[in-house]
Amino acid sequence: MNSRTNGIIVAIDGPSGAGKSTIARLLAERLGYIQIDTGAMYRAAAFLLMTAEINLDDLAAVEVFCRDMDIQLDVVSGCQSVIANGMDVTHKIRTAEMSLLTSRTSTLKPVREALFKAQQQMGRRGGVVLEGRDIGTVVFPDAEIKFYLSASVEERARRRYEELTAKGEPVTLADTIADVIQRDRQDSERDIAPLRQADDAVLIDSSLLSVDEVLNLMVEMCRNKIGTAGSSL
Ligand code: DC
């Protein structure tokens, strides 16, 4: 019996700043699906490890800590909140400092194992749009539809820079480009679940496309897939 009682699984992977979060949120809205921002879960885990002052070189300590870690994504009036061990960390996890720390903590096996389990639990019934780095390759290799959303380094850094300066963060464009390059390297060169396009993922380069153009393309492909999957769900 098929366990996808709520619909199909849509996987969106790609490097940081490619627009995954915006697209995943809008796509989930259009399909009436739930959005699962797995990057936010990795950020929340990094935040918890940092505030608990866990030594990241001590994998046994990281593992013990991750065993009891509780990370929830709540949607309140269309906005996603991230609750980590009962604390609302939605905004605290979005700084440039947290981005770099998360890129490091997300290479740790105990962190990935804990979040892998949580994500499988959250998504297995379907009706979800999951975005991250390893959704189509590791978390749900059997997702009904997979996208790999990318854009040039310059375009991704420009978007991130605008986002951070709008929040009043004192960053420069040159620093933001350097951060994007460093995070790309950390995300794609790590040993466990590196950032990689799944063989069966549809590649979309958003450098020269508007959000609406990307969205409409993805909505149409998802609807076709939901139509053909309908009878077997
Ligand atoms: O998508 P984001 O920028 O919020 O992700 C934050 C970090 O988490 C990023 O460095 C990569 C990591 N990440 C991951 O390793 N696996 C995922 N499925 C999602 C994010």
Side-chain angles (χ1 to χ4, degrees):
M1 206 184 83
N2 200 309
S3 59
R4 305 270 212 259
T5 44
N6 300 340
I8 65 166
I9 292 182
V10 181
I12 307 179
D13 290 305
S16 56
K20 294 189 303 292
S21 294
T22 306
I23 292 291
R25 179 172 50 79
L26 296 171
L27 182 62
E29 261 172 42
R30 291 270 292 268
L31 299 175
Y33 276 17
I34 290 169
Q35 176 202 2
I36 301 177
D37 177 353
T38 65
M41 298 173 78
Y42 279 95
R43 286 169 182 270
F47 183 85
L48 290 177
L49 287 161
M50 180 184 74
T51 43
E53 296 183 14
I54 305 294
N55 175 1
L56 300 180
D57 294 322
D58 182 351
L59 283 187
V62 174
E63 190 182 341
V64 170
F65 185 81
C66 288
R67 242 181 254 157
D68 295 325
M69 188 168 70
D70 176 45
I71 295 173
Q72 308 276 344
L73 300 176
D74 280 352
V75 179
V76 183
S77 31
C79 290
Q80 195 157 66
S81 305
V82 187
I83 313 294
N85 287 355
M87 196 185 348
D88 187 336
V89 298
T90 313
H91 302 292
K92 294 190 180 94
I93 59 174
R94 296 289 166 194
T95 63
E97 182 201 359
M98 286 307 303
S99 297
L100 276 185
L101 179 68
T102 308
S103 196
R104 170 153 184 237
T105 54
S106 62
T107 62
L108 304 175
K109 194 166 174 217
V111 174
R112 298 212 74 86
E113 279 178 355
L115 295 185
F116 169 86
K117 277 194 205 136
Q119 288 157 19
Q120 283 214 324
Q121 190 66 25
M122 291 159 99
R124 73 196 153 88
R125 294 195 180 283
V128 286
V129 176
L130 288 114
E131 44 143 326
R133 303 292 190 286
D134 61 342
I135 308 303
T137 50
V138 176
V139 184
F140 285 109
D142 60 344
E144 281 74 16
I145 188 158
K146 302 177 186 178
F147 295 100
Y148 190 85
L149 192 60
S150 195
S152 67
V153 168
E154 293 73 20
E155 179 59 20
R156 290 187 286 122
R158 192 189 59 74
R159 291 176 192 168
R160 187 69 87 189
Y161 172 75
E162 280 176 7
E163 210 177 287
L164 292 172
T165 47
K167 282 193 291 186
E169 280 212 40
V171 290
T172 65
L173 183 59
D175 284 348
T176 314
I177 292 177
D179 279 359
V180 166
I181 293 173
Q182 185 182 346
R183 290 178 64 200
D184 278 2
R185 191 175 315 124
Q186 282 181 347
D187 291 346
S188 53
E189 289 180 2
R190 67 176 175 231
D191 292 336
I192 319 167
L195 170 65
R196 187 173 69 71
Q197 182 185 340
D199 295 337
D200 50 351
V202 178
L203 172 65
I204 300 180
D205 185 332
S206 73
S207 305
L208 299 173
L209 296 173
S210 69
V211 169
D212 274 350
E213 285 171 321
V214 174
L215 185 64
N216 289 335
L217 190 70
M218 290 169 75
V219 168
E220 194 188 329
M221 293 182 78
C222 287
R223 290 212 169 122
N224 284 341
K225 195 52 105 171
I226 292 168
T228 49
S231 54
S232 62
L233 288 173

